[in-house]
Each structure stands twice: as C-alpha cells, then as structure tokens.
Amino acid sequence: MDFAIQHKGKCLLELGEIAEAEKCFKEALKLRGNKGDVSLIESTQQALTFIKKLKC
C-alpha cells in the first residue's frame, strides 16, 4: 500500500497538486515507518523535503 500511495504522491506532484501530493507522502511515510525500512523512509522524506523547498 505504501508504494501505491508514494506513487500517487509522485503523480500528483508532477501535475502540480502540491498539497495533495504532500498528504500522500505523509501517509506513505507513516506506513513505511511501521515497516521500519530505512531506505523507503528516506526516499519519502526526500520527497517531503522537496515539497518544502517548492513552498518557499
């Protein structure tokens, strides 16, 4: 499920839907945190960092 939500966030980001993409990435991060997979968590955190930069 986390992969699908992460992908949805990526697609929304490409469409310029930043707020909706951010929601997806936060949800994916929550699910990935439960999994405990560091590499997946890091990739989602990178996406959220990118969104923060876009907002500035």
Side-chain angles (χ1 to χ4, degrees), residues 14-53:
E14 289 173 353
L15 293 171
E17 299 291 334
I18 297 170
E20 291 301 314
E22 184 175 26
K23 289 178 189 176
C24 288
F25 290 130
K26 287 181 178 179
E27 180 63 24
L29 184 61
K30 184 175 157 184
L31 293 172
R32 290 176 170 195
N34 291 338
K35 279 185 169 181
D37 188 321
V38 175
S39 64
L40 295 177
I41 292 167
E42 286 177 2
S43 71
T44 306
Q45 287 174 329
Q46 288 175 359
L48 287 167
T49 299
F50 179 74
I51 286 176
K52 283 181 185 177
K53 290 179 182 179

Side-chain angles (χ1 to χ4, degrees), residues 3-24:
F3 285 101
I5 295 171
Q6 178 89 359
H7 184 70
K8 180 180 176 183
K10 178 184 174 286
C11 292
L12 287 167
L13 188 59
E14 289 173 353
L15 293 171
E17 299 291 334
I18 297 170
E20 291 301 314
E22 184 175 26
K23 289 178 189 176
C24 288

